[in-house]
Amino acid sequence: MAGVSGCLKYSMFIFNFLFWLCGTLILGIAIWIRVSKDGNEILSSGNSDANPFLAANILIAVGAIIMVLGFLGCCGAVKESRCMLLLFFIGLLLILLLQVAAGVLGATSKSETKRILNETLYENVKLLKQTGGNGQEFRDAMVGFQKQFKCCGLVDGAADWGTNFQSISESCACEPPSNDCVTYDRKPVFKENAVECSLELSGSFQPLKPPHGQIRVLGTWFGVFYGPVLPDREQMNL
């Protein structure tokens, strides 16, 4: 029985150590996006009533909680501390209850989430159509995103750029013949928009070359968190 007890102890230690590493990774990436210049520009680009930093703040809190629970689990398993293990299991129970509550709230407020997302995307599309210095960093970030991921526009394709299309058309350029190409203003461009591309990227974690790594992470999290409530293009009314 001593051998079985030792096996369980170290198995629990390894599991919680990996748990702690995941929490550290989530916390680090969330803080990086929260304080980085590109992350702030994209997160705060809309004029929605919703807090633009809400997702990053939630991830910071989640990462910190996972780190604490992982620490309690590791130390409790190695030292065989009943107090630490009790706190660890109470923490897991609270997380389970919060997940159930979040699921219920998410199901009941889905229409409100769609409305907020519509407003945010609409404001971002207006930034793409503007000229001058207002929103320039966001437009530059979108150009970099389009070049790297072979897409065009945010919601409605190349039309999202309005009169700015001619100046950024190279980032949307697609080589025909290809099923990925459509014609806009007599130029072949990618038919997939940035929102659709982000949803596809949510299942991929391939590393990127700088300087657009922040955009890749934001695109991934956008797909993960907003994919289930993303409205159809016809519902955007842009």
Side-chain angles (χ1 to χ4, degrees):
M1 294 299 293
V4 174
S5 177
C7 180
L8 289 175
K9 180 173 73 172
Y10 289 109
S11 295
M12 187 171 180
F13 170 79
I14 293 173
F15 168 77
N16 283 287
F17 180 72
L18 295 176
F19 197 53
W20 179 83
L21 284 180
C22 289
T24 304
L25 182 63
I26 292 173
L27 181 62
I29 293 178
I31 293 176
W32 174 48
I33 290 181
R34 183 65 172 81
V35 302
S36 67
K37 184 177 180 180
D38 289 343
N40 280 320
E41 172 68 18
I42 294 176
L43 288 174
S44 61
S45 57
N47 294 326
S48 171
D49 294 335
N51 183 358
F53 302 106
L54 180 60
N57 292 338
I58 290 176
L59 286 173
I60 290 174
V62 169
I65 292 172
I66 291 176
M67 281 185 63
V68 172
L69 289 178
F71 173 78
L72 290 174
C74 285
C75 293
V78 171
K79 295 184 177 181
E80 299 182 6
S81 171
R82 291 186 178 182
C83 180
M84 286 186 173
L85 290 176
L86 181 61
L87 290 174
F88 172 72
F89 287 113
I90 290 175
L92 290 182
L93 178 61
L94 290 176
I95 289 177
L96 177 61
L97 294 176
L98 287 174
Q99 286 179 332
V100 173
V104 173
L105 290 175
T108 56
S109 62
K110 188 174 181 179
S111 59
E112 179 67 12
T113 304
K114 282 186 177 181
R115 183 190 67 80
I116 294 174
L117 183 57
N118 281 348
E119 292 178 359
T120 302
L121 291 176
Y122 179 73
E123 294 298 332
N124 288 339
V125 169
K126 289 200 296 186
L127 285 177
L128 295 183
K129 295 180 178 179
Q130 290 178 358
T131 57
N134 188 22
Q136 185 61 47
E137 291 188 19
F138 178 71
R139 289 193 292 274
D140 292 342
M142 275 296 300
V143 168
F145 189 95
Q146 290 176 162
K147 287 181 178 179
Q148 189 148 4
F149 298 107
K150 302 185 185 306
C151 60
C152 189
L154 185 62
V155 175
D156 202 25
D160 291 339
W161 288 97
T163 57
N164 292 328
F165 173 73
Q166 293 298 331
S167 62
I168 60 89
S169 59
E170 183 180 350
S171 66
C172 288
C174 178
E175 295 183 4
S178 172
N179 293 331
D180 296 329
C181 297
V182 294
T183 301
Y184 180 81
D185 199 13
R186 294 179 294 180
K187 293 184 178 181
V189 298
F190 289 104
K191 65 180 180 181
E192 188 175 58
N193 59 51
V195 170
E196 295 167 342
C197 184
S198 296
L199 294 176
E200 292 179 3
L201 290 175
S202 63
S204 170
F205 289 89
Q206 298 176 357
L208 289 186
K209 297 179 181 179
H212 303 299
Q214 299 97 324
I215 304 173
R216 167 66 178 79
V217 176
L218 287 170
T220 298
W221 286 357
F222 177 87
V224 170
F225 288 107
Y226 294 116
V229 297
L230 186 68
D232 296 332
R233 183 178 297 181
E234 290 78 5
Q235 296 175 328
M236 294 301 301
N237 297 322
L238 296 178

